């Protein structure tokens, strides 16, 4: 519905999430992954874009040592691409009739691998085009978003995938009633997936919704998975994961974490074939 698409997100912190934040000292990343609370097994699978260039001194129109390109912004018709993306947003064949939520999720997941301490990961590179990063369990279903954007890339080949994915999310926010976020171009795509090993990338950089929580139980035993206050057992560990292992590593503070997780999950819905869950996180 139109109400679901506009969301009425009056959360001023969300644009700041897209523009990036100062880095905090990250915690070491554990290698284990949890499939707890998965209602069914999911293939090798949550929302916003942390742009790795934000609050750094780089020039999108000139040489860069941070991994961004030197192509001039005027060589890419960004206004025309914005207009093309707006034409895509309303799509009755997908979920509630809008592609904005899945474009936002694509931008976030391509950006959420960022490590402020090492400068690795993040939206620069569009590594999800390659099998290794695409196979991260937290990226399940995003092949749909990438496929919807392929015609735009073919029509405007001068824009990098890295820029296109972020711009699509910006336009999605704008189209659903959010602010028009100033776009800074210049990201370069990885030519292949050798970056994965050369930059010491690994799974586990994206947040896992059930990490450190108790294993999923069927409905008849659901009370066994709750503590005396009604919270899922292991929620403290999940909080530590979200704050210390994921968002502090990227440079978020607690206010920005809440804005991203709570504001972002108002968009879109879950899909059983991707995550094991069905329907919107928030109703």
């Amino acid at each position: 519905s139109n109400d679901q698409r506009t969301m009425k997100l009056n959360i001023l912190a969300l644009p700041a999430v897209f523009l990036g934040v100062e880095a905090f000292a990250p915690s070491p990343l554990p290698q284990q992954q949890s499939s707890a609370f998965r209602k069914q097994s999911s293939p090798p699978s949550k929302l916003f874009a942390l742009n790795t260039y934000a609050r750094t001194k780089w020039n999108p129109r000139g040489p860069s040592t941070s991994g961004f390109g030197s192509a001039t912004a005027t060589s890419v018709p960004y206004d025309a691409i914005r207009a093309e993306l707006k034409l895509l947003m309303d799509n009755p064949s997908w979920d509630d009739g809008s592609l904005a939520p899945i474009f936002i999720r694509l931008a976030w997941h391509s950006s959420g691998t960022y490590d402020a301490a090492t400068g690795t990961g993040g939206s620069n590179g569009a590594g999800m085009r390659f099998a290794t990063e695409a196979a991260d369990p937290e990226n399940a279903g995003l092949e749909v978003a990438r496929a919807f954007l392929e015609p735009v890339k073919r029509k405007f080949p001068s824009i990098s995938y890295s820029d296109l994915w972020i711009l699509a999310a910006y336009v999605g926010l704008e189209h659903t009633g959010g602010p028009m976020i100033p776009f800074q171009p210049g990201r370069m795509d990885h030519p292949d997936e050798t970056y994965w090993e050369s930059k010491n990338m690994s799974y586990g950089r994206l947040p896992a919704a059930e990490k450190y929580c108790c294993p999923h139980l069927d409905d008849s035993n659901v009370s066994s998975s709750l503590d005396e206050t009604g919270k899922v057992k292991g929620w403290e560990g999940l909080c530590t994961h979200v704050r210390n292992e994921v968002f502090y590593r990227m440079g978020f503070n607690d206010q920005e974490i809440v804005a991203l997780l709570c504001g972002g999950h108002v968009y879109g819905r879950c899909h059983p074939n991707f995550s094991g869950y069905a329907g919107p996180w928030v109703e």
Side-chain angles (χ1 to χ4, degrees):
S1 68
N2 186 62
D3 287 343
Q4 286 174 307
R5 287 189 287 109
T6 56
M7 310 299 176
K8 296 183 179 179
L9 278 181
N10 186 22
I11 302 176
L12 298 179
L14 287 180
V17 171
F18 271 94
L19 291 175
V21 294
E22 301 293 345
F24 286 74
S27 300
L29 293 177
Q31 296 301 310
Q32 71 179 90
Q33 297 183 67
S34 170
S35 59
F37 275 93
R38 294 289 185 194
K39 296 182 181 178
Q40 63 186 53
S41 60
S42 62
S45 140
K46 266 175 184 95
L47 214 250
F48 257 115
L50 172 66
N51 291 320
T52 63
Y53 59 82
R55 295 189 184 177
T56 59
K57 297 178 181 178
W58 68 281
N59 181 1
R61 292 178 172 82
S64 169
T65 58
S66 62
F68 289 87
S70 58
T72 61
T74 55
S75 67
V76 182
Y78 292 104
D79 289 343
I81 296 171
R82 274 186 177 272
E84 190 75 15
L85 289 169
K86 287 179 182 179
L87 294 176
L88 285 180
M89 290 298 162
D90 296 326
N91 187 323
S93 71
W94 182 253
D95 286 353
D96 299 306
S98 176
L99 295 178
I102 198 167
F103 287 162
I104 293 169
R105 180 170 176 252
L106 174 64
W108 155 236
H109 280 237
S110 70
S111 306
T113 57
Y114 180 58
D115 185 321
T118 64
T120 59
S123 60
N124 194 40
M128 215 184 303
R129 294 172 296 130
F130 304 109
T132 303
E133 187 167 339
D136 187 321
E138 302 307 320
N139 285 334
L142 287 174
E143 64 275 10
V144 174
R146 299 194 298 273
F148 274 122
L149 290 173
E150 272 302 316
V152 181
K153 173 62 175 173
R154 288 197 297 270
K155 186 172 182 178
F156 302 98
S158 58
I159 190 172
S160 67
Y161 281 100
S162 308
D163 274 348
L164 178 61
W165 294 356
I166 301 301
L167 183 58
Y170 282 20
V171 174
L173 282 172
E174 179 186 351
H175 190 68
T176 53
M180 182 174 180
I181 304 170
F183 181 68
Q184 298 186 48
R187 300 164 193 78
M188 290 182 64
D189 295 336
H190 295 308
D192 52 47
E193 61 179 335
T194 55
Y195 76 94
W196 189 264
E197 291 189 1
S198 66
K199 296 183 181 296
N200 295 313
M201 298 289 291
S202 65
Y203 294 155
R205 291 193 177 198
L206 294 170
E210 316 90 350
K211 193 167 186 178
Y212 304 132
C213 290
C214 65
H216 173 71
L217 301 173
D218 60 54
D219 291 343
S220 62
N221 294 314
V222 67
S223 60
S224 300
S225 67
L226 305 178
D227 63 19
E228 62 277 6
T229 68
K231 297 185 180 74
V232 174
K233 293 177 181 177
W235 67 267
E236 303 95 334
L238 178 58
C239 289
T240 298
H241 164 62
V242 168
R243 295 176 78 193
N244 297 75
E245 297 175 0
V246 178
F247 289 101
Y248 284 179
R249 185 202 73 231
M250 289 185 281
F252 282 78
N253 61 34
D254 288 347
Q255 181 183 23
E256 291 158 337
I257 294 171
V258 171
L260 187 146
L261 289 180
C262 297
H265 283 91
V266 174
Y267 274 85
R269 60 177 56 246
C270 307
H271 302 81
N273 54 321
F274 298 147
S275 67
Y277 293 99
W281 283 105
V282 180
E283 294 183 341

